[in-house]
Amino acid sequence: MIFSYYPGCTLKTKAKELDAYARRSAEALGITLSELPEWQCCGGVYTTAEDEIATKLSSVRALMEAKKEGHALVTLCSACHNVIKQTQYALNTDDDMAFKVGNYMQCDARAEADTKVIHYLELLRDIVGFDELKKNVKNPLTGKKIAAYYGCLLLRPSSAMQFDNPENPKIMEDFIRAIGATPVIYPMRNECCGGYITAEDPAMAKKNSTAVWESAKDFDADYIITACPLCRYNLIKSESPLPVIYFTELLAEALDVK
Amino acid sequence: MLTNREKEQILISSGVDVRKCMRCGKCTGTCPAYDEMEYHPHEFVYMVEKGEIEKLMNSSSIYKCLTCFACVERCPRGVEPAKIIEAVRLAVIRKQGNNHIKAEDIPCMAEDDDTPGQLVVSAFRKYKK
Ligand code: SF4
Ligand code: SF4
Ligand code: SF4
Ligand code: SF4
């Protein structure tokens, strides 16, 4: 099965392992991720302003490229996923936005960008299926207690993301079970690490991130997994005593393709 | 003094209907930037409605919002306060010479070898025009 794939800029530089493990694991599960022939950085964070058009165009182009390729679009970085999904949601719900974007792109933007967008975790849940994933596990991570860190961007705003229950998600916990480990549910799993504030106010980022890993530690996790390079960076910078790793690394380990 | 036109611009840019707010404070209660903010999400909504926009534009609170969407998700009235904060910030940084982060701020970040590109582009998008 072939899917278009939008890796995002950070996965080409500082988060290469997030990408490499994802591709290898997908192959092992019979899925081909075909990188879009052309894509640009999504900008990292969605601009909510309704009079901001230019900042949304790289996402529109990615959606249109995938539509041309004829495949659903898979994302991996939480931030890319959020920006692309929110852009598509704005196109679909805001006539004025659709009109203005269409003027820029010289096309019917709403129609040409109506590609199905799924995050890699949704690919595992909805296309592969967690039961099927479980059958493919060669190296179950038995006995490991893992804290899934959702952060903000996979879940919110749920109107656009439609990812999981935004206050009580379970997709990552189901993933953890499928690879044979034990999920740790802790209160801060869907609260913010501080994100880009680390460039503006590092002490504030440190405070927010520390609250996240402390919460995971209080609930006895062995380590924390994430889909977001910035979450990982912030948690590590705040001196998390728990290792913080990408979920795709555990997946590759479980599938024995690491 | 800011004119009504500027208030209008913030309302249009945000797409928020401030009159929907019932002042329950849930947005502020859930905000992870609460401690660092002088004006909190519910105050942004209220003050824009009242036209007290200059105070907001001059406050560092506009740079403390994390765009975490907690207030957007949890507001029982669908007000989406983060969009108001973004519109006020844009009203500031869109003006000539008002970039909050400058390119010169970046080299020091690049020295730090693990800094993800995501951080740099996100900060630019929120703080610079
Ligand atoms: S979210 Fe990040 S990694 Fe993804 S493309 Fe955008 S900036 Fe780059
Ligand atoms: S948790 Fe942190 S990096 Fe992750 S989505 Fe929220 S702000 Fe972003
Ligand atoms: S949560 Fe919504 S209704 Fe309540 S104060 Fe905030 S904006 Fe107003
Ligand atoms: S989006 Fe901004 S204002 Fe809203 S809860 Fe998050 S940090 Fe606070």
Side-chain angles (χ1 to χ4, degrees), chain B residues 98-114:
Chain B
N98 270 2
N99 284 333
H100 187 65
I101 275 194
K102 307 202 169 42
E104 303 89 88
D105 301 336
I106 296 304
C108 63
M109 294 206 284
E111 264 173 44
D112 177 351
D113 215 0
D114 328 317

Side-chain angles (χ1 to χ4, degrees), chain A residues 18-53:
Chain A
L18 175 58
D19 172 70
Y21 293 132
R23 291 182 195 247
R24 250 180 265 162
S25 302
E27 284 299 337
L29 294 165
I31 295 210
T32 304
L33 295 178
S34 165
E35 185 171 330
L36 288 176
E38 276 191 64
W39 56 269
Q40 303 155 325
C41 171
C42 70
V45 53
Y46 183 69
T47 43
T48 57
E50 294 183 359
D51 57 352
E52 280 277 327
I53 309 295

Side-chain angles (χ1 to χ4, degrees), chain A:
Chain A
M1 242 177 148
I2 302 181
F3 289 83
S4 284
Y5 173 52
Y6 180 93
C9 62
T10 305
L11 281 71
K12 291 287 178 186
T13 51
K14 300 289 164 66
K16 284 191 180 128
E17 63 279 31
L18 175 58
D19 172 70
Y21 293 132
R23 291 182 195 247
R24 250 180 265 162
S25 302
E27 284 299 337
L29 294 165
I31 295 210
T32 304
L33 295 178
S34 165
E35 185 171 330
L36 288 176
E38 276 191 64
W39 56 269
Q40 303 155 325
C41 171
C42 70
V45 53
Y46 183 69
T47 43
T48 57
E50 294 183 359
D51 57 352
E52 280 277 327
I53 309 295
T55 48
K56 298 183 172 85
L57 294 180
S58 62
S59 295
V60 175
R61 290 194 187 97
L63 289 163
M64 288 170 59
E65 281 284 322
K67 177 94 181 171
K68 266 192 258 160
E69 300 282 305
H71 307 302
L73 181 63
V74 172
T75 58
L76 182 49
C77 162
S78 311
C80 306
H81 185 64
N82 187 279
V83 175
I84 293 175
K85 284 285 276 196
Q86 289 214 68
T87 301
Q88 189 175 51
Y89 186 76
L91 277 182
N92 287 340
T93 53
D94 180 345
D95 291 340
D96 196 44
M97 176 69 70
F99 175 75
K100 285 177 181 155
V101 169
N103 282 347
Y104 264 99
M105 307 298 289
Q106 293 291 300
C107 69
D108 179 351
R110 185 176 287 170
E112 292 187 30
D114 76 340
T115 322
K116 188 169 172 57
V117 183
I118 55 172
H119 186 267
Y120 195 96
L121 282 162
E122 292 173 306
L123 180 80
L124 295 178
R125 179 188 63 191
D126 303 335
I127 309 292
V128 176
F130 285 137
D131 287 339
E132 193 56 33
L133 170 60
K134 197 171 181 176
K135 286 184 206 151
N136 282 277
V137 167
K138 300 204 167 56
N139 183 16
L141 285 95
T142 316
K144 292 272 184 260
K145 286 179 287 180
I146 303 175
Y149 182 44
Y150 289 87
C152 333
L153 298 180
L154 286 174
L155 298 167
R156 295 189 291 266
S158 59
S159 49
M161 303 311 291
Q162 301 282 317
F163 182 77
D164 202 344
N165 179 334
E167 304 301 353
N168 190 19
K170 65 185 190 75
I171 182 170
M172 283 170 95
E173 286 76 12
D174 288 345
F175 162 73
I176 290 166
R177 283 187 201 99
I179 58 170
T182 308
V184 173
I185 314 277
Y186 61 107
M188 293 297 283
R189 66 199 173 116
N190 63 338
E191 300 300 335
C192 181
C193 72
Y196 55 78
I197 205 74
T198 193
E200 151 78 11
D201 185 346
M204 183 175 167
K206 184 162 185 172
K207 190 183 80 177
N208 285 16
S209 297
T210 301
V212 172
W213 64 249
E214 276 183 350
S215 172
K217 192 164 171 280
D218 285 348
F219 284 75
D220 270 340
D222 295 321
Y223 36 82
I224 298 173
I225 57 167
T226 174
C228 176
L230 187 51
C231 298
R232 180 166 182 262
Y233 175 82
N234 281 338
L235 291 177
I236 291 173
K237 281 281 146 181
S238 66
E239 289 156 31
S240 169
L242 307 179
V244 186
I245 53 185
Y246 293 124
F247 78 96
T248 55
E249 181 170 349
L250 288 194
L251 175 62
E253 196 176 321
L255 295 173
D256 208 17
V257 292
K258 192 174 165 185

